[in-house]
Amino acid sequence: MTEYSVIGKQVHKVDGPAKVTGSAKYTFDIELPNMLYGKILRSPYSHARIVNIDTSEAEKLIGVKAIVTGKDTLGIKHGVWRRFPELCDEEILCREKVRYIGDPVAAVAAIDEDTAEEALDLIEVEYELLPAVFNPLEGMKEDAPQLHEGVERNINVTRHIEWGDADEDFEKCDFIREEQFYSSPQAHVCMETHGAVADFGHDGKLTVYTSTQSNYYIQVLVANMLGLREGDVRVIKPPSGGAFGSKFELDSAQFCASLLSQKLRQPVKIILNREEEFTATKRKTPMYYYVKVGAKKDGTLMAKEVRVITEGGAYTAMGATALTLTGFYSSLPYRWHSYRYDGVRVYTNTAPASALRGFGAPQAYFTGESIIDMLAEDMNMDPLELRRQNAVTPNYEVPGQAFIQSCGLSECYDTIEKYIKERGKLPPNHGIGIGNYGFMSGGIFNWFNTPYAFSAAIVKINIDGKVDLFTGACDVGQGSDTALSMICAEELGVHLDDIRIHADDTDLGPPDLGAWGSRQTLMSGNAVKMAAADAKRQLIEFAYAKLSPNVVYDMDIKDHQIYIVDRPERKASYFDIVKEVIRAREGQVIIGRGHYTPHRKGMVSPAWGFGVQAVEVEVDPETGKYKLLEIVTAHDCGQVINPVAVLGQVEGATMMAAGGAFCEDQPADNGRILNPSIADYKIIRSLDMPKTVGIEVDTYEPEGPFGAKEAGEGLTSPTGGAIANAIYNAVGARIKELPITPEKVLKAIKEKEQQQEQKEE
Amino acid sequence: MIKDFKYFAPKTLKEALTLLDKYRDENKVIAGGQSLLILMRHGLVAPEYLINIKGISELDYIKSDVKEGLKIGALTTHRTIEKSPVMKNGYSVLAEMEQKLASIQTRNWGTIGGNLCHADPAGDPMPVLIALKATLKIASSNGERTMAAEDFCLDYFETALEPDELLTEIQIPPVPPYTGTAYTKFNIIENDTPTVGVAVSITLASKDGNCQDARIVLGAAAPKPIRAQKAEEILRGKKLTDSLLKEAGEIASTECEPISDIHASAEYRQELVRVLVKRVAKEALDRAQQY
Amino acid sequence: MSEELRLTVNGQPYQIYVKPKTLLVEVLRKHLGLTGTKRSCDSGSCGACTVVLNGMAVKSCSILALQADGAEVITIEGLANGDKLHPLQRAFLDYGAYQCGFCTAGMLASAKAFLDENPNPTEQQIRECIDGNICRCTGYNSIIRAITAVVNGDYKEEK
């Protein structure tokens, strides 16, 4: 195990002092001189034609400065999948019709929030109601109401993944299991709601301060929607209060604030309230799953067939990615001899479904890990053994799909097996369930159609040795600012507090695709490492010439010392060399450049993180209520960069994933979400949070910086399945629809009792 | 968005009652405001006059007397009740209920009187007070009256208070010997609003004697907290066995009219009543025997 | 229609005039510029707005500013003494007891109010003291570890 100076150590995160003292300024806190406040009027109907919008009364209200509707836009339909124009289907400010309850129709800028809100009430919108459809199974029918012109049967995207011949393989199987599952919607519930402060200057240039996972994406999309040159839009990401997949698309706050500011040439601030956050931002894609698995009696998993129908909601958003990834993750982490996936995304008149941490993996693993346990039971095999026997291994190729280099699954199984053994015999109504996963470290696809490298970085060394690190990577709380600073410091041989990271301004740093798909540690990390190495090389060249060894030696920098590796007593001070290099270059600062785009790494991801999780529950068989007692996760994230942050990711991801199974849901009635408040949308709190244990197994990922790969998103994958399995092991109740409520558990227990009574008769 | 209002902050009960009399139809009273402010922020309640009674210290007290029992001022906070040393023995159920009522922040600022006047059928205090046979003292500028706690709630969020009246005190009689009272609420998230709530009080004739009196009170199972009187009836005068308590649960589940909502179906709520009445009655019985 | 409000915030007395409908959190954030305390929901459920009022943790979005007349309020900005951080703040840094940081002001207020009143709590009680504060990032356990470390005396108050 290599001994590093910075990475792998216990450090304070670089944003810590600002956050624990309350001095970090979020978008929510920004107040600019001459700033106006905006509010958005949204459709109360699921599907309707906009006949007329009368803003005259609202305009008369004192303090109202401007009102915009779809007519004030360029009428561009935007989307994140820019490579496929037919999937760019969202106007944001609707021109002709609204497609879900919450679809924006107008936006107001006023001198204060109360006035803006009052103005909304005075805007008269005449709608012509249209028939609506809320369920994808209904939406696919021939006679279903059509949401988007030209999209027949509302089938928005289809995906197919296949290798081998599944039908042939099923013939050879001794055990086959077929089941249907449902994975429910879930809301991100970021503590900071979506928001933006847009400042369009008289110089024709726009600055947008916004809570985002990708300021580059927002820059490109806003520029496009407003008819501006990309370079004339500057997006600044202040410290961001959470994102989890909800903030890398252009949202209504950003767009409407920018449009209003463009009109008025004054800053406009729009912050969504919690109800808008629940109803009118993107959410986790609900999915209907059909799964068929087959195995031989020697324990070999042979074939898997998966058909998925996803509820797309009113627009594509990133739902096409979720559809693709869920199909791919459904094959992991096992070596299926054959596999077939068909996925369909269907438009419905509901809130658009997009990306939530895991991005199709929690759905895939809830279903996949449940059915594997069912199959193991049929085969009279230990569920851990069935998994272990068939798990992917290091250097495995998923046929035609992906190449897996490092993989620590084997060690993860050992760890969990040990934990279960030590737990011993469980009390009555207790059960332990397991789930495992494999997850991408960023995607290789370029559906956004960017011409840029996926990640890039610039390192600038100043005369006093202090380093400025410029990157487009976004820290939304997961700690990328710190991790990237640590990678930079390690590579450059300096201390963490020598680095000052600038990762928040599209004007300052090179573009980066942003914080999603668990890509930044690997991709942005590689770019940073390369930039630091470039700067380091410039220092080493000079130091080499200065120390003048008479044999060719390697040199390196550690702890502010530039030294000959084989003769460490021959060294020079980093600070001295920096001064001399700058001198030698006519006073220019030292700049290092780096970039990274994955290539030759298969069709999905350059590297994969893995894990195995065990959940222990206790069920009350008379009420169906269950407690989450302990969640133990053994996971493989390659080299750990920041151990405190990784543990935080294990625990945070677990809370979010467990919530999706335990208590979070968005029940709706004809497209209206019935619980758009934190009082009614139940979230795990500190008294509900189980004991968590996170164990990193030691692996090294050659593709990642210092051997690191993803940690933080994959960890949302196994929990749903593990909880379902644990409840089954505790009381014999199998729940195949999320969320797993006490009411469902009790119903299943009673059904099982009835079945047993019938058997005995 | 909260609409503007005229604000008063009386420092005495007398001042408050005079204001209520004067602004009869257009006023709202705010104590802790933990329920009211949310309604006002959503524009569901928009009074012209808001009377803040939180500062009336003469209504913030807990008095305990062997003969008179417990007297709690309406403006006593949940947290004060929870931490009060007099909440022991027969009254410990009050502290237990308060501790799980909501977050510490809500308990620090919200008052028991405010909670009772809000008359949420899922409220925790009322079923417990009914089980303890509490009476409520109500004042207006014309005088005072008392009523049994169980008569206070009329319907969803509707009480028997007249527009010029204030709830001033909760009176809980001394706990008879061999009496045990317990309360349980069912929810998925801790300290949350209950899906159903059950309070049971059992009085035995002697330590191992028959049941002399029983009160079974259900919360969140009807438009207001209700007593399952048929279930109570089968317990009175009998030796309380496990099977009898189970039967009481069964009967109680037929006496309530819960609603189906996003959190649970009516059938499930009835099932919960069936199970919880049995369990809470057992807890109350154990406490009665340990008296 | 403005009424006089006198209160002390972080040791500093203020006298301001506010409309009666103003919430305490609005006074803190807008009138006094103390933006450390956040708002995250409209139903008084999330705890992000928690401050310490007369020694108690309360939700400043669910209190009318005028109800805090005469009160002593402490916000996150009042925890440190110049550059000397409060033990809870130091523990939060060491244990990474925050990620996005949006809930942190409320968490620190709840923890401070609780520990000032209960210097020797059990783990269950520590969990309960932040049960009114939602965190979407950390899963709470790192926050519990940080508070526990302070309870165990690992952080002495810096003078």
Side-chain angles (χ1 to χ4, degrees), chain B residues 64 69-70 86-95 132 172-175:
Chain B
S64 170
L70 213 55
V86 313
M87 300 298 163
K88 56 180 193 275
N89 300 327
Y91 300 128
S92 60
V93 63
L94 282 167
L132 291 171
I172 301 157
V175 177

Side-chain angles (χ1 to χ4, degrees), chain A residues 12-13 15-17 19-22 24-26 28-29 113-114 186-189 191-192 240-242 244 273-274 476-477 644 647-649 651-652 655-656 664 678-679 683-687 689-690 692, chain C residues 21 29-30 35-36 38-43 45-46 48 76-77 85 89 92-96 98-104 108 124 127-128 130-142 144-145:
Chain A
H12 284 179
K13 288 198 271 194
D15 54 358
K19 287 180 177 172
V20 304
T21 55
K25 298 279 176 282
Y26 297 75
F28 188 74
D29 302 316
E113 281 181 73
D114 281 354
Q186 190 178 3
H188 305 81
V189 199
M191 289 306 282
E192 186 190 19
S240 182
F244 312 113
N273 65 32
R274 193 44 80 176
V476 286
V644 168
L647 182 57
Q649 288 300 294
E651 293 175 337
M655 175 265 191
M656 194 170 257
E664 295 183 40
I678 290 189
I683 298 184
I684 289 176
R685 292 165 180 265
S686 65
L687 283 174
M689 185 68 190
T692 49
Chain C
K21 70 174 191 174
R29 286 180 53 84
K30 288 202 149 51
T35 58
K38 309 298 181 202
R39 297 179 74 167
S40 178
C41 78
D42 303 309
S43 50
S45 320
C46 72
I76 186 176
E77 290 92 343
L85 296 180
Q89 290 171 307
F92 269 49
L93 284 175
D94 285 347
Y95 284 86
Y98 63 90
Q99 288 182 29
C100 82
F102 211 73
C103 75
T104 304
L108 285 169
Q124 184 70 5
R127 275 195 186 271
E128 197 201 7
I130 59 163
D131 193 63
N133 296 72
I134 293 181
C135 174
R136 196 48 159 166
C137 298
T138 66
Y140 308 102
N141 291 346
S142 58
I144 304 298
R145 287 192 289 271

Side-chain angles (χ1 to χ4, degrees), chain B:
Chain B
M1 177 183 93
I2 304 182
K3 299 261 170 2
D4 283 311
F5 49 80
K6 183 110 176 59
Y7 174 81
F8 300 99
K11 289 285 176 267
T12 67
L13 176 59
K14 191 149 174 261
E15 268 177 66
L17 292 174
T18 310
L19 286 165
L20 278 175
D21 211 17
K22 186 169 176 196
Y23 298 109
R24 220 163 240 271
D25 297 314
E26 296 294 340
N27 83 75
K28 260 286 179 211
V29 166
I30 186 170
Q34 301 300 279
S35 306
L36 181 63
L37 271 178
I38 297 165
L39 297 176
M40 289 176 72
R41 278 160 60 183
H42 287 280
L44 297 169
V45 167
E48 236 185 281
Y49 305 96
L50 192 71
I51 303 169
N52 171 27
I53 60 171
K54 188 92 162 81
I56 301 179
S57 50
E58 68 184 269
L59 292 179
D60 180 3
Y61 58 86
I62 301 178
K63 294 183 192 139
S64 170
D65 181 85
V66 169
K67 274 194 282 195
E68 309 252 332
L70 213 55
K71 286 186 168 63
I72 305 175
L75 291 178
T76 311
T77 65
H78 298 291
R79 192 93 166 123
T80 304
I81 295 171
E82 177 192 332
K83 286 158 50 170
S84 168
V86 313
M87 300 298 163
K88 56 180 193 275
N89 300 327
Y91 300 128
S92 60
V93 63
L94 282 167
E96 289 156 10
M97 174 273 295
E98 292 290 13
Q99 206 209 353
K100 293 204 172 297
L101 182 115
S103 65
I104 287 185
Q105 291 97 315
T106 303
R107 283 145 47 200
N108 273 335
W109 196 253
T111 63
I112 186 159
N115 182 292
L116 295 173
C117 293
H118 187 57
D120 184 344
D124 299 285
M126 190 50 102
V128 175
L129 292 176
I130 294 174
L132 291 171
K133 303 191 176 138
T135 51
L136 305 178
K137 190 158 84 169
I138 295 163
S140 72
S141 40
N142 295 327
E144 284 180 349
R145 60 186 179 115
T146 58
M147 66 175 2
E150 69 184 286
D151 297 329
F152 187 66
C153 296
L154 301 178
D155 205 339
Y156 293 105
F157 305 103
E158 204 187 303
T159 68
L161 283 178
E162 295 296 330
D164 65 337
E165 287 183 316
L166 266 185
L167 173 67
T168 55
E169 186 179 82
I170 297 113
Q171 302 163 336
I172 301 157
V175 177
Y178 305 112
T179 299
T181 313
Y183 174 70
T184 286
K185 65 196 223 182
F186 182 91
N187 40 29
I188 299 174
I189 300 294
E190 292 292 310
N191 295 5
D192 196 12
T193 310
T195 309
V196 298
V198 173
V200 177
S201 190
I202 303 272
T203 303
L204 301 173
S206 63
K207 185 166 157 67
D208 293 305
N210 289 358
C211 169
Q212 196 169 69
D213 198 7
R215 281 208 168 192
I216 299 174
V217 193
L218 311 177
K224 52 180 190 159
I226 55 166
R227 284 172 55 189
Q229 292 182 322
K230 294 200 192 102
E232 289 173 359
E233 200 45 46
I234 66 150
L235 298 182
R236 283 197 192 95
K238 308 261 196 9
K239 182 102 176 97
L240 296 183
T241 60
D242 282 349
S243 66
L244 193 63
L245 295 181
K246 187 169 172 212
E247 202 188 322
E250 248 127 58
I251 295 175
S253 74
T254 65
E255 290 189 76
C256 57
E257 352 145 354
I259 53 165
S260 286
D261 65 10
I262 56 174
H263 302 299
S265 67
E267 295 74 35
Y268 184 64
R269 283 192 160 96
Q270 278 176 312
E271 187 57 30
L272 288 175
V273 165
R274 193 177 70 77
V275 171
L276 291 181
V277 162
K278 173 187 70 165
R279 290 182 183 177
V280 181
K282 182 86 166 99
E283 174 74 35
L285 174 62
D286 286 345
R287 290 182 182 194
Q289 288 169 335
Q290 284 161 36
Y291 185 85

Side-chain angles (χ1 to χ4, degrees), chain A residues 501-522:
Chain A
I501 187 165
H502 308 273
D504 43 18
D505 189 334
T506 54
D507 263 13
L508 291 186
D512 187 298
L513 299 191
W516 56 277
S518 226
R519 53 178 299 286
Q520 288 189 165
T521 300
L522 189 138

